[in-house]
Structure formats: structure tokens, C-alpha cells
Amino acid sequence: MHALVLGSAAGGGFPQWNCNCTLCARARRGDESLSTRTQSSVAVSDDGLSWILLNASPDIAQQVHDNPQLHPRGGGRDTPIRAVILLDAHLDHVAGLLSLREGPPLHLYCTPAVMDDLTHVLRIVPVLRSYCDVQWHPIPVGDGQTDATFAVAGCVDLCFHAIALEGKAPPYSPRRAARGTGDTIALDVVDRRSGRRLFYAPGLARVGPRELGWMRAADCVLADGTFWCEEEMPEAGLSRKTARDMGHLPQRDRLIDGALQRGMMTVLAGLPARHKLLVHINNTNPILDPDSPERRELERHGIEVAHDGMEIVL
Ligand code: MLT
Ligand code: MN
Ligand code: ZN
């Protein structure tokens, strides 16, 4: 199996267009120690030829341009992108669907909750249908159903498991404040030939025993790396929102209602996986700087920071 990191940043990318924080300003000035990053997406493939997008980033056109694996190969109009699986309905994961309108019928895999937001609130799907055929393949997670197994035509050697996560519906969703299942999933992708497993969760609010079980079984974990610490945005004076408000588990351990909760770094450090990578990194996160003490702490725990264009062969 191939996993190609198309975009390793959270919403806004790095640098973010309107952000003049120290890191964004350095990146904008062309500081070579900092890699610029597009917004969150990964592509997977069983043969390196046909690809499935896991989320459709607003930066998809640049991502296709930058990754020859996704270029057209046939005559006329062509694409090796066979389908799109959405893990939630956040703008940084769905806005790129609009840029796929010139292509063949779009095979879209997502839960009913995500489809509901895309159809009735954001209205991306009805708008897209005026340009191209959209075929929805429901992922039956929601209403108490916490996981589902499915296959995707065009990548027959990969088997997909969707796992309901405690996350947050997007800010525009009427379910933002609710705690339903189906708004956010993780994906466990298994190569049927080798049995190798990839776990992908760019939006993960809490790691409980269920999530930990899937993560322990994976050879490669691509996990929510949005924030280093709980109060990162308030401390930088950029927003009042904490990591918890936004549904992201930070890397540092944190206090929740007086109890210590293990952060993503502690969780990842305890996993047997060969590859432990952080994705969906916010532009405020100090781990973006390879010379930061936070980055060294990750390295000591065997955790890497994913970068755009990184390809992992499992
Ligand atoms: C998130 O990951 O929390 C969202 O993408 C935030 C946003 O859409 O701005
Ligand atoms: Mn996001
Ligand atoms: Zn910034």
C-alpha cells in the first residue's frame, strides 16, 4: 500500500494568508528551515497507479500539480483519482470537491451525517451535481453504529474500516454542539495482500480504549497533530478557542476538569507502529520549526511530523 501526504497542515495551511505570527512570518519570508504546507489530505493506493483521496483539500489543484502520481496519464482528460472518502465535513476537508467538477463521475464515500451537512447546509453536493455526476456511497456509521467495513471500486486490494470518533461537526453544522456519531470518523486501511494497516485520523478529540485498539494494530499511524498544547491559540492571542473547543487532542498531556489526560505524544509513544506521524498541523504549532525543543521532544519519542509530498510504502 502507498500513502501519499498531499497536505499536512490544518485549516488555513502554513503560512496562513492572514497570519503574521512568528512562524508564518518566517515561512512567508522564505526561511528555508520551514516547509510550507497545504491543507489536510492524504491519498492511498494499492498499486501506486489508482488513488483514493482521503478528504478533498481546498488546495487540491496545487496538490495534484505537485504530486506526479496524481497527474493525468491517458489521452484527452484523465485522472488516476478513483474516489474520495470524507472523514468529516470540515471546510478544509471538503472544499476541494468543487475543484473536481471537471472530472468523471465523482464517487463519494461518507457517512449520512456528513452527506447531510454537504447537501442541506453547505449545499456543495447539489451545486456539484450541476457540473458532474456525484455517486454517494454511504458509510453506515451513525445512530449508534460505531464502525463499518467497506471496499472502494478501483482499489480492490485495500479494505477500509470507518471508526466513529469523538470529534466535532464543523462550525457551520447544526450538530456542532451535539455529540452524535457519524460527524467524524477515523479510517483504518488494510492491504489484503500483506495485511499491513494504516490508521488515519486528522481530527481526533479523545483516544479511548476503542481508538487505542485500532491504533495499536496499525503499522503506520497518521494522527491529529493540530495543536501542541491545550491553550495554544489563546496564549498566542490569536483566538479564544482551546484545543478541546475545536475537537483536537493536543500533543502535550492536559488537565481536563482537574484530571490529567494523556496527550497525543504520550499515546503515540506507546504504540508499536513502525511509522508514527502527525498530520493536520495548525500554523500556531511550534513543532513546525525543526529546530524547536518541542520537535526534539517528538523525535525522542519516535514521532515524525508529516510533510507535503511524503510517500510511505507499507
Ligand atoms: C478543524 O479542524 O477544527 C477545522 O478545520 C477548523 C476550521 O474549519 O477552521
Ligand atoms: Mn481541520
Ligand atoms: Zn501563523
Side-chain angles (χ1 to χ4, degrees):
M1 158 170 39
H2 301 249
L4 177 61
V5 178
L6 299 176
S8 55
F14 178 64
Q16 178 172 310
W17 68 281
N18 65 339
C19 191
N20 210 13
C21 76
T22 321
L23 282 171
C24 286
R26 275 176 57 197
R28 197 173 286 116
R29 279 199 307 270
D31 183 328
E32 282 179 7
S33 66
L34 301 176
S35 312
T36 61
R37 293 159 195 275
T38 61
Q39 297 170 80
S40 182
S41 177
V42 165
V44 291
S45 173
D46 53 1
D47 58 3
L49 296 172
S50 296
W51 293 85
I52 314 287
L53 295 187
L54 312 183
N55 295 319
S57 164
D59 302 318
I60 189 161
Q62 187 188 333
Q63 294 171 347
V64 169
H65 179 84
D66 290 346
N67 293 277
Q69 299 93 322
L70 300 184
H71 290 180
R73 283 187 288 263
R77 300 247 159 106
D78 179 54
T79 177
I81 300 170
R82 299 281 174 257
V84 180
I85 304 176
L86 300 175
L87 281 75
D88 56 47
H90 283 260
L91 290 181
D92 55 349
H93 288 157
V94 304
L97 291 174
L98 292 173
S99 302
L100 297 174
R101 67 189 178 283
E102 297 94 351
L106 184 60
H107 291 274
L108 192 59
Y109 293 73
C110 65
T111 65
V114 167
M115 194 57 168
D116 191 62
D117 278 340
L118 298 188
T119 304
H120 301 292
V121 194
L122 199 57
R123 292 193 40 80
I124 261 190
V125 168
V127 167
L128 259 178
R129 285 203 163 115
S130 313
Y131 297 82
C132 66
D133 185 17
V134 180
Q135 293 185 20
W136 179 37
H137 305 262
I139 300 177
V141 166
D143 278 338
Q145 176 73 32
T146 54
D147 58 88
T149 300
F150 61 101
V152 176
C155 251
V156 290
D157 286 318
L158 300 183
C159 173
F160 296 84
H161 300 282
I163 302 137
L165 293 182
E166 206 177 285
K168 279 216 161 182
Y172 69 80
S173 170
R175 284 185 314 279
R176 173 74 167 176
R179 266 187 163 213
T181 44
D183 291 311
T184 312
I185 58 168
L187 272 187
D188 177 68
V189 189
V190 189
D191 188 311
R192 298 178 204 275
R193 300 159 299 186
S194 63
R196 296 261 163 81
R197 305 179 92 101
L198 170 81
F199 179 88
Y200 178 52
L204 184 49
R206 195 180 73 91
V207 178
R210 272 180 63 249
E211 293 83 1
L212 195 58
W214 289 98
M215 291 168 92
R216 288 195 64 79
D219 300 283
C220 174
V221 176
L222 299 176
D224 186 338
T226 314
F227 297 116
W228 173 253
C229 62
E230 179 64 16
E231 302 278 340
E232 187 167 310
M233 294 227 285
E235 274 169 16
L238 298 175
S239 162
R240 288 216 298 264
K241 288 182 185 162
T242 64
R244 188 192 195 188
D245 292 336
M246 295 185 67
H248 297 291
L249 179 69
Q251 282 105 64
R252 287 281 296 275
D253 296 349
R254 64 181 173 183
L255 278 174
I256 292 290
D257 304 326
L260 190 71
Q261 188 187 58
R262 299 188 328 150
M264 190 64 85
M265 183 165 58
T266 314
V267 170
L268 293 178
L271 300 178
R274 211 170 91 217
H275 308 273
K276 306 172 193 182
L277 296 151
L278 293 170
V279 290
H280 192 277
I281 300 148
N282 198 52
N283 44 67
T284 49
N285 193 328
I287 64 173
L288 288 169
D289 183 349
D291 300 322
S292 63
E294 291 85 357
R295 183 74 159 258
R296 277 198 293 279
E297 205 172 330
L298 286 181
E299 282 162 5
R300 274 202 304 279
H301 288 91
I303 301 164
E304 283 179 81
V305 176
H307 58 82
D308 291 19
M310 181 174 210
E311 187 169 349
I312 300 141
V313 182
L314 289 176

